[in-house]
Amino acid sequence: MIVSVKGAKTRDIKEPDTEPIIRGPHEGFVETLRVNTSLLRRIIKNPNLTFESLKLGKQTNTEINVAYINGIADGKIVEEVKRRLNRIDIDAILESGYVEQLIEDNPLSPFSTIGNSERPDKVAAKLLEGRVAILCEGTPFVLTVPYLFVESLQITEDYYSRPYLSSFIRLIRFLAFLLTLLLPALYVALETFDPEMIPTVLLVTAAASREGIPFPSLVETLIMLIIFELLRESGVRLPRQVGQAVSIVGALVIGDAAVRAGIISAPMVIIGALTGITSFIVTPLLDGIILFRLFLLFSGAAFGLYGITVGLFIMLSHMCSLRSFGVPYLSPVAPTVWKDLKDSLIRAPLRLMKSRPASIEPENLTRANFSTPPNKSGNQRNEKH
Amino acid sequence: MKKAIASLLLCVFCMMLFTGCWDSTELNERGIAEAIGLDQNDKTGEINITVQVVRVGALKTDGATEKSPIENMTASGKTVFEAIRNVCTQSDRKAYFAHTKVIVVGERLARAGIGDIVDVFMRNHEGRPLCWVMVGRNATAEKLLGVEHGLEEIQGAYLNNMIQKCTMTSKTSASTLLDLAKILSGDVGNPVTGAMEVVDQPIFPAEQKETQGDTTQGIQLTGTSVFQKDKLVGYLDAVETRGLNLITGKMKSGIIDVPSPFAKNKLFSIVVLRTKSKIDPKIENGTLSFHITVDEEADIGEQQGSADISKPEVFEKVEKAYGEVLANEIKATVNKAQKELRTDILGFGGALNRKYPQEWKRVQDNWKTLFPDVPYTVSVSARLLRTGMEIKSIQQES
């Protein structure tokens, strides 16, 4: 008997830098596909967890695994994923991002309709909800489909901690999304078109700090946003030791010197900082946010609050038109799936979330059979599903 | 399909341009006007306008100048709007009226009529219907807006805060542009609003007395200015104003001095908590009369003397004296309105119109002559609720 026991050196399993959490497992995927599948298998000890292998990339022959749970995931979605994967004709797959961009429903949309994660527990949770995962050799980022808007507000920790704090933080995340999208546009629109909406004392203070600023507020806002993006990019690219120096210089230059020099007004620094900081809370949406933030900023600067309203309307109608593997991107909000709203802007107590998200139409909807409260016929009701 | 999309885009684009308030103005091109003063020129009869604009540069946290935080700019014109535009000839910034808190009308112009003023500020899209309209008693608006007093840096904000607190005493009154417009556009009542006058204030610090004299100027709210339609006809003093507020139900708070039933020259201070009032017209045998009902609840805030108000009978005596004071104040105000001012500011006409619309139509044209002699009755129900933190008197002999 001959057995091949060759093995290449792989990276250790470490906590992922991209999605740190406080409570919950701290392990993350690595670059080796087999390790990643074993990480998933260790969480879902169930023969129905299926990995289907295929090879993509004419030159690289990268191994791709489609993972789903037989009997939970919608068979049609699984078929659709495999069909789209098989259609890919490219010479190299270097990262799962290649796959993502080649099988997207709306390649031109700024909103991503395919999710990714470095956390095995998160991917396992998605599989258990009836989603399909795509693992790719050579990257710790695992794709999950279908990917809806509400998922960008969900963090695994929401489910590990109790529902009240989780629900509150979900709302905060949604607020962050609105702020990072709208704040610059609202500032410009209110200052130049509708100062009557600002309380008098605030208006006088704002006017005092704008005194002597040479630029119109639109230009001022653009300067601030670009400076922030510059700082962010240099902070990511530079080695960590140098990065700190950059952030100190950035904080001093923007926060203090620019205001003193009379280039940027003090409220603008707050607006810019808030916009930048809140954008990190909803990172999965960053693509769409950056584009539409500018779009709304310009329409607000040209037409005031009315322009922002029209701009938001255009953005919303675009989001409504999006599909992720046949599932409407904005569900369960639009179209409304009342049952799924328990896990959208709030996170209902686990005992109330008895079924998997119905919007992605899993084959088996029942997640749990809680008999609460004990004297009511809760059991029988659940069996009907 | 392409045609449909193109026409839809065209529609969206057109919609953008069809809106009313277009075009942007940067904050540092606007002059935020906190107060407006309007006067009639003695010689030409033209309208003089004083616009109080905030000099925002003086309010900067660092690098602020020593200049005053406000700048009064004056101009004149045959109409109010022309006068407003003429301000531009001396101003480097376009005055912006959406944050105007107070419109002060000089006495001379108020006697000539304020209807046109209400019209221009209600018509203009920048004007706010909720800004105060006040009359300068024995003073021009220009002079009133020039008085530097109060803790606020911006004089307009000082006036606004002072007017907002007028419910604390109910001895002054104030009307917004909207209140005036509502009454002037109807034909049942006559508007009233507050009045302001310039008073002397002691000067501080004492060293300045040597150079600047003993006193400086301040502004004080005084009573009520009464209009017949849109023309100023007279004033109510502080107590008469309180009577008016009692009748119209606007009495939110205030201190009423009630003579002590137990000792001579001693008073009780009563703190008013709630007031409800009703004017009920009655037609009996063809004669018209009005019945004024006032319900008031109050606390005892202070007592001079040493009566034991923990005893129910003593308490009731104070209550009764308090009711009498209220009834007298109401009667004094009605008499003043009927006999002296001959103007229905009490809402009698409105009450009649609501209850007997047919009768009102009949008397409407003669109301001005009928009102001064119309009979009325007053019934007051005054209730004292609490005695404050002390039950008995501190000075009480035990």
Side-chain angles (χ1 to χ4, degrees):
Chain A
M1 193 174 75
I2 306 167
V3 180
S4 162
V5 288
K6 70 172 167 131
K9 184 74 187 145
T10 63
R11 188 166 67 95
D12 287 342
I13 295 171
K14 268 176 39 186
E15 165 141 43
D17 287 333
T18 51
E19 297 163 80
I21 59 168
I22 297 167
R23 179 170 180 176
H26 288 276
E27 58 185 13
F29 286 123
V30 293
E31 282 74 7
T32 321
L33 184 64
R34 274 305 137 246
V35 176
N36 293 350
T37 54
S38 72
L39 282 173
L40 283 176
R41 275 236 185 268
R42 278 206 303 215
I43 298 174
I44 308 172
K45 299 177 190 75
N46 182 341
N48 284 335
L49 174 60
T50 314
F51 292 98
E52 289 191 28
S53 175
L54 63 149
K55 285 212 159 60
L56 285 181
K58 285 205 200 84
Q59 305 297 331
T60 54
N61 276 317
T62 312
E63 193 181 358
I64 307 281
N65 273 14
V66 178
Y68 57 94
I69 299 180
N70 217 347
I72 293 180
D74 184 7
K76 277 180 287 176
I77 292 179
V78 177
E79 283 313 307
E80 179 65 23
V81 171
K82 284 193 274 186
R83 202 176 60 79
R84 289 192 194 176
L85 284 175
N86 282 322
R87 250 186 356 200
I88 293 177
D89 182 8
I90 193 169
D91 64 336
I93 300 284
L94 298 178
E95 212 267 344
S96 55
Y98 280 58
V99 180
E100 178 183 343
Q101 290 167 56
L102 292 172
I103 64 169
E104 268 180 314
D105 291 55
N106 314 278
L108 294 180
S109 168
F111 288 98
S112 166
T113 51
I114 294 178
N116 65 64
S117 176
E118 264 193 283
R119 304 198 72 88
D121 59 325
K122 187 169 179 179
V123 174
K126 303 265 183 212
L127 289 173
L128 289 164
E129 280 178 345
R131 293 176 213 274
V132 179
I134 302 162
L135 293 82
C136 186
E137 176 76 47
T139 176
F141 286 92
V142 173
L143 307 179
T144 57
V145 292
Y147 184 76
L148 311 180
F149 176 78
V150 284
E151 285 177 70
S152 32
L153 304 177
Q154 297 168 345
I155 305 283
T156 45
E157 220 176 332
D158 294 350
Y159 305 92
Y160 304 154
S161 36
R162 302 189 66 244
Y164 307 105
L165 181 65
S166 311
S167 298
F168 175 70
I169 292 177
R170 281 253 175 110
L171 290 171
I172 291 288
R173 275 182 220 132
F174 187 65
L175 176 73
F177 168 66
L178 291 181
L179 282 180
T180 188
L181 187 69
L182 284 170
L183 211 55
L186 280 177
Y187 175 77
V188 172
L190 285 179
E191 269 212 346
T192 56
F193 280 88
D194 307 284
E196 65 266 19
M197 309 263 303
I198 310 174
T200 311
V201 179
L202 183 60
L203 179 71
V204 169
T205 324
S209 61
R210 259 201 73 76
E211 197 69 359
I213 305 291
F215 307 111
S217 40
L218 172 65
V219 177
E220 197 191 354
T221 312
L222 282 175
I223 292 176
M224 190 64 207
L225 290 182
I226 288 170
I227 290 179
F228 188 85
E229 293 303 321
L230 287 173
L231 278 176
R232 186 179 71 95
E233 185 60 13
S234 63
V236 173
R237 296 293 154 238
L238 284 168
R240 213 162 274 171
Q241 294 83 345
V242 191
Q244 244 175 13
V246 167
S247 52
I248 289 169
V249 168
L252 286 180
V253 167
I254 303 185
D256 203 36
V259 175
R260 272 175 201 234
I263 297 171
I264 286 171
S265 64
M268 193 61 241
V269 176
I270 301 172
I271 302 278
L274 257 182
T275 309
I277 293 299
T278 46
S279 73
F280 294 128
I281 298 178
V282 280
T283 36
L285 294 167
L286 218 52
D287 265 323
I289 285 171
I290 283 183
L291 191 93
F292 276 104
R293 184 197 286 155
L294 281 179
F295 173 64
L296 290 171
L297 176 61
F298 281 111
S299 58
F303 301 105
L305 287 180
Y306 177 70
I308 295 182
T309 316
V310 173
L312 269 182
F313 189 76
I314 292 173
M315 186 186 101
L316 268 180
S317 44
H318 170 68
M319 286 169 86
C320 284
S321 75
L322 291 180
R323 295 277 183 285
S324 175
F325 286 79
V327 180
Y329 182 59
L330 282 187
S331 69
V333 180
T336 314
V337 183
W338 293 104
K339 215 187 262 179
D340 289 8
L341 289 180
K342 285 180 206 162
D343 190 12
S344 53
L345 283 186
I346 56 156
R347 203 278 281 174
L350 278 185
R351 279 168 182 277
L352 297 178
M353 295 200 296
K354 291 174 188 165
S355 60
R356 303 179 206 285
S359 48
I360 56 170
E361 294 175 13
E363 278 175 7
N364 179 354
L365 207 58
T366 316
R367 172 143 54 190
N369 267 337
F370 293 116
S371 52
T372 52
N375 290 335
K376 286 193 183 161
S377 53
N379 273 329
Q380 286 153 23
R381 237 188 303 131
N382 287 327
E383 276 157 18
K384 278 180 201 157
H385 290 305
Chain B
M1 186 62 193
K2 263 186 189 167
K3 239 183 175 177
I5 293 173
S7 52
L8 193 76
L9 279 178
L10 198 69
C11 283
V12 169
F13 187 71
C14 286
M15 269 165 58
M16 292 277 207
L17 302 177
F18 285 165
T19 53
C21 322
W22 202 74
D23 216 0
S24 62
T25 312
E26 291 294 331
L27 265 190
N28 33 17
E29 292 161 18
R30 292 189 206 262
I32 303 160
E34 285 253 359
I36 302 173
L38 292 161
D39 290 303
Q40 192 173 40
N41 194 309
D42 291 341
K43 289 167 202 145
T44 58
E46 282 191 337
I47 305 241
N48 280 3
I49 190 167
T50 310
V51 181
Q52 188 180 90
V53 179
V54 182
R55 181 182 283 118
V56 286
L59 296 170
K60 259 189 156 175
T61 40
D62 51 341
T65 50
E66 288 288 300
K67 285 181 176 172
S68 156
I70 54 167
E71 171 107 356
N72 283 348
M73 291 182 278
T74 56
S76 61
K78 290 197 179 64
T79 62
V80 178
F81 210 166
E82 194 201 341
I84 290 175
R85 274 294 154 87
N86 284 345
V87 175
C88 290
T89 55
Q90 340 163 355
S91 162
D92 50 343
R93 292 194 183 179
K94 187 177 174 296
Y96 177 63
F97 294 104
H99 283 274
T100 302
K101 305 289 182 210
V102 191
I103 298 173
V104 184
V105 183
E107 181 162 333
R108 198 183 145 93
L109 184 59
R111 289 201 187 273
I114 57 162
D116 304 338
I117 301 169
V118 174
D119 176 272
V120 66
F121 287 108
M122 289 299 284
R123 196 179 292 278
N124 190 296
H125 73 273
E126 271 184 11
R128 285 225 175 163
L130 290 181
C131 78
W132 305 108
V133 179
M134 301 296 276
V135 171
R137 188 173 186 174
N138 299 325
T140 61
E142 194 184 341
K143 189 177 174 195
L144 276 166
L145 292 188
V147 173
E148 228 178 286
H149 195 234
L151 301 179
E152 287 281 348
E153 281 187 281
I154 301 159
Q155 202 234 11
Y158 152 68
L159 293 179
N160 180 42
N161 292 347
M162 192 161 67
I163 295 165
Q164 274 179 347
K165 283 175 189 60
C166 73
T167 50
M168 295 289 287
T169 60
S170 296
K171 281 180 179 173
T172 59
S173 54
S175 287
T176 61
L177 201 58
L178 185 65
D179 297 333
L180 294 180
K182 273 197 282 192
I183 295 175
L184 287 175
S185 62
D187 48 9
V188 289
N190 292 292
V192 295
T193 188
M196 302 195 294
E197 62 186 356
V198 180
V199 292
D200 288 338
Q201 299 276 348
I203 199 163
F204 285 109
E207 297 92 65
Q208 286 186 9
K209 279 189 180 172
E210 288 159 19
T211 53
Q212 292 171 18
D214 280 348
T215 56
T216 176
Q217 284 178 330
I219 290 178
Q220 189 185 331
L221 299 176
T222 52
T224 302
S225 50
V226 177
F227 290 82
Q228 202 162 57
K229 287 301 164 203
D230 72 328
K231 290 182 176 56
L232 179 72
V233 289
Y235 298 96
L236 299 182
D237 68 18
V239 177
E240 287 159 358
T241 300
R242 195 160 67 191
L244 177 70
N245 284 331
L246 276 169
I247 297 168
T248 52
K250 282 182 189 157
M251 181 106 178
K252 294 269 165 13
S253 181
I255 308 294
I256 293 180
D257 295 337
V258 175
S260 168
F262 316 106
K264 264 194 179 169
N265 299 328
K266 296 278 185 187
L267 294 170
F268 277 87
S269 285
I270 307 291
V271 192
V272 177
L273 299 175
R274 271 175 288 273
T275 308
K276 261 194 222 161
S277 71
K278 204 180 157 211
I279 300 169
D280 197 19
K282 272 190 190 138
I283 302 173
E284 276 168 7
N285 307 326
T287 42
L288 177 65
S289 66
F290 287 88
H291 187 67
I292 302 169
T293 323
V294 174
D295 282 323
E296 207 164 66
E297 289 178 357
D299 285 350
I300 293 176
E302 175 183 350
Q303 82 148 315
Q304 298 177 337
S306 54
D308 180 6
I309 38 180
S310 64
K311 288 182 186 154
E313 62 270 17
V314 176
F315 200 67
E316 273 162 25
K317 266 190 185 165
V318 180
E319 210 168 43
K320 194 159 163 269
Y322 165 47
E324 278 164 18
V325 170
L326 289 185
N328 289 338
E329 279 187 10
I330 292 170
K331 280 177 194 156
T333 304
V334 179
N335 283 343
K336 172 120 181 181
Q338 282 190 327
K339 308 298 177 204
E340 199 174 313
L341 300 165
R342 306 178 78 81
T343 308
D344 176 15
I345 48 172
L346 312 168
F348 280 10
L352 182 62
N353 185 19
R354 279 192 293 278
K355 197 168 177 191
Y356 301 111
Q358 298 300 324
E359 178 70 11
W360 169 248
K361 282 218 176 83
R362 209 171 58 74
V363 301
Q364 189 179 359
D365 293 335
N366 300 326
W367 186 241
K368 223 170 136 181
T369 49
L370 287 174
F371 171 74
D373 301 311
V374 74
Y376 69 92
T377 51
V378 178
S379 80
V380 174
S381 124
R383 291 202 300 137
L384 289 178
L385 300 182
R386 291 176 288 257
T387 60
M389 312 246 293
E390 291 289 338
I391 297 170
K392 299 176 178 180
S393 167
I394 290 180
Q395 308 164 42
Q396 190 178 333
E397 315 89 41
S398 45

